[in-house]
Amino acid sequence: MTLLATVLSNPLVEAGIRIVGLSLLAAAVTTLVAYVYRVRARAELPEGATLIIGLGAVAIYLNTRIVFIQFVGETGDPFTVSEALLNVSVFVAAGVASYGGRRLGNWAGESERFSWGRLQPDFSPLVRATGRYITVTLPDDIEDIEGYDPVEDETRDALSGRTLDFSRGLTLAELESGLITRLKEDHDIGYVDVDLAEDGTVEYFAVGRRVAGIGPTLPPKTAAVAVRADPPFSATPGDTVQVWQVLEGEETRIGTAELRASVGSVATLATDESVAERIDPTAEYRLMTLSADSHPDREFAGMLRRGEETMSVVEIGTGSPLVGSPISALDVTVIAVQTARGEVETIPAREWIIEAGERLFAIGRPDVLRKLEATNAVQPITVDGELSNADDATLLAEPVSERPLADEE
């Protein structure tokens, strides 16, 4: 008998190996469950479930082992004092290891390196195709995406009933991505919302267009104007400037604005509508640079209008599957919650538990918002007089183009 066999046959070594092995089993099972729970529910696995999962895996192994000893090995009763003490030690060590696995799984679920998005294509089913190509036929009636400008009639006519061919062997996710990319490149389309069946059939199709130029970057209640002026030395786009005009021999301040561009003696300014109305396009002005002043409300509005995200307001009804879930479990960003009592909570915590009767103000891509609105017992809300008594809620629910801005001056 070799030295290694002698060491392994020692009762204490055997007990240690069993404790370590079963602890690793508990940790591995808990890590996997915590990872999946974190990714799918976007929340940390509850502590109570940690012990149930980790110790449950150990208990299944021990019960299976006892069955083999009693009924297969025919060695008699396996229950001895030493065996009982060993099992207690195993459960204690496995419980500690389970919490370690819970932390590891939660960390992996939050990490981009192990994100579900990287694994998702591997689980997406292949599109069922009968020929050499996957043929996708667009519907005759094309929907508009709420929050986006409608596409041109010529573009709509070109897309209506159009057939596109793709190579075989694509997953649903790859086919959908390829379809969206081709439509964006070939047509003046800013966003495509499409749902495909496993055979490539289009179940839902909607498109929208973003307006080009300076318009989409302007915050609400502002306008862009071109004035004849001599921009200050070293002034660059984005600087805040004062607009002055000489009237009857005296310099009068018209207001403040943001310098967007300048060519020669002509400067393009973004300013409040009230200031823009006082500017005479035939007159000459003088611009004076001011210290940098941040306007996060305007920056947010501009970013929202330039991006693909839009906003929706939904009311959670009784019996909705979202009741009892944290808002972190949603695929959208919830910027405010109006409770059933009419109270408004802005930027709620990720642990906020959704209750029946609440209204959620959500920001997300149109396809994600559409799926949220289609959830059972979830009702989209159209802004009307119902919210007129809740100032904060009304402000959030108004279209971006109608929200008031703080006075710059």
Side-chain angles (χ1 to χ4, degrees):
M1 182 178 294
T2 62
L3 177 61
L4 178 60
T6 303
V7 172
L8 293 178
S9 62
N10 186 286
L12 293 179
V13 175
E14 290 182 352
I17 294 175
R18 182 182 299 181
I19 293 175
V20 173
L22 292 179
S23 298
L24 292 177
L25 172 64
V29 173
T30 309
T31 299
L32 178 61
V33 175
Y35 169 75
V36 175
Y37 188 87
R38 181 69 192 187
V39 171
R40 301 302 299 174
R42 296 190 176 184
E44 193 170 1
L45 183 69
E47 293 187 3
T50 302
L51 286 179
I52 294 175
I53 294 170
L55 299 186
V58 174
I60 292 175
Y61 167 80
L62 293 178
N63 288 337
T64 304
R65 178 174 175 273
I66 291 174
V67 169
F68 272 92
I69 292 176
Q70 288 182 326
F71 301 103
V72 178
E74 296 182 356
T75 57
D77 187 4
F79 294 106
T80 61
V81 175
S82 59
E83 190 75 18
L85 292 176
L86 177 59
N87 289 342
V88 172
S89 302
V90 166
F91 277 107
V92 172
V96 176
S98 297
Y99 279 97
R102 172 175 174 263
R103 296 186 61 181
L104 179 60
N106 184 69
W107 171 82
E110 293 179 332
S111 175
E112 290 294 334
R113 182 178 302 178
F114 305 100
S115 65
W116 190 262
R118 293 191 176 187
L119 303 177
Q120 188 67 25
D122 297 334
F123 299 105
S124 181
L126 291 175
V127 180
R128 295 195 299 265
T130 56
R132 297 177 56 188
Y133 302 97
I134 302 173
T135 301
V136 177
T137 303
L138 302 181
D140 295 331
D141 296 329
I142 300 175
E143 303 287 341
D144 292 324
I145 301 179
E146 185 177 354
Y148 284 73
D149 292 331
V151 299
E152 301 291 343
D153 292 337
E154 295 80 3
T155 303
R156 189 181 300 274
D157 294 338
L159 295 177
S160 179
R162 181 179 176 183
T163 300
L164 300 96
D165 293 330
F166 297 86
S167 60
R168 288 175 56 95
L170 298 178
T171 64
L172 281 177
E174 292 171 342
L175 178 60
E176 181 177 318
S177 176
L179 174 61
I180 293 174
T181 300
R182 182 180 299 185
L183 293 177
K184 286 185 175 181
E185 291 177 351
D186 296 345
H187 303 276
D188 183 19
I189 298 176
Y191 195 84
V192 179
D193 184 3
V194 60
D195 283 342
L196 299 177
E198 292 187 2
D199 59 354
T201 303
V202 178
E203 297 181 338
Y204 179 84
F205 184 69
V207 294
R209 177 177 59 89
R210 287 292 188 188
V211 178
I214 196 175
T217 66
L218 291 176
K221 298 298 183 181
T222 62
V225 294
V227 299
R228 295 185 179 277
D230 183 16
F233 177 73
S234 73
T236 58
D239 289 346
T240 301
V241 296
Q242 282 186 348
V243 184
W244 292 78
Q245 183 183 19
V246 178
L247 296 175
E248 299 179 356
E250 296 183 359
E251 286 191 332
T252 303
R253 187 170 68 90
I254 304 299
T256 58
E258 178 187 344
L259 180 64
R260 289 298 184 93
S262 62
V263 178
S265 61
V266 178
T268 301
L269 307 177
T271 184
D272 287 343
E273 293 178 346
S274 58
V275 176
E277 292 174 352
R278 297 198 299 268
I279 293 179
D280 183 0
T282 62
E284 292 188 2
Y285 297 88
R286 185 171 65 87
L287 305 181
M288 183 175 65
T289 305
L290 299 179
S291 58
D293 188 12
S294 175
H295 297 282
D297 54 344
R298 301 190 175 194
E299 295 174 3
F300 173 76
M303 291 174 59
L304 181 60
R305 300 179 72 183
R306 292 194 300 270
E308 294 183 342
E309 288 75 13
T310 184
M311 183 174 176
S312 177
V313 183
V314 296
E315 182 171 319
I316 308 301
T318 304
S320 171
L322 300 181
V323 175
S325 302
I327 61 173
S328 59
L330 303 178
D331 292 330
V332 298
T333 301
V334 179
I335 60 174
V337 176
Q338 183 183 23
T339 65
R341 298 182 297 274
E343 301 173 352
V344 177
E345 178 73 17
T346 58
I347 315 299
R350 291 173 55 85
E351 296 76 17
W352 181 285
I353 302 301
I354 300 174
E355 298 180 357
E358 291 183 339
R359 290 185 177 181
L360 307 182
F361 299 81
I363 291 178
R365 299 193 312 273
D367 57 331
V368 178
L369 292 176
R370 175 173 57 84
K371 294 175 182 178
L372 172 64
E373 295 172 355
T375 305
N376 184 33
V378 173
Q379 179 65 37
I381 299 299
T382 302
V383 181
D384 51 27
E386 286 186 52
L387 297 179
S388 60
N389 294 329
D391 293 339
D392 292 340
T394 303
L395 178 61
L396 289 169
E398 286 180 7
V400 173
S401 61
E402 299 177 5
R403 297 180 195 166
L405 287 175
D407 188 3
E408 281 188 310
E409 301 181 27

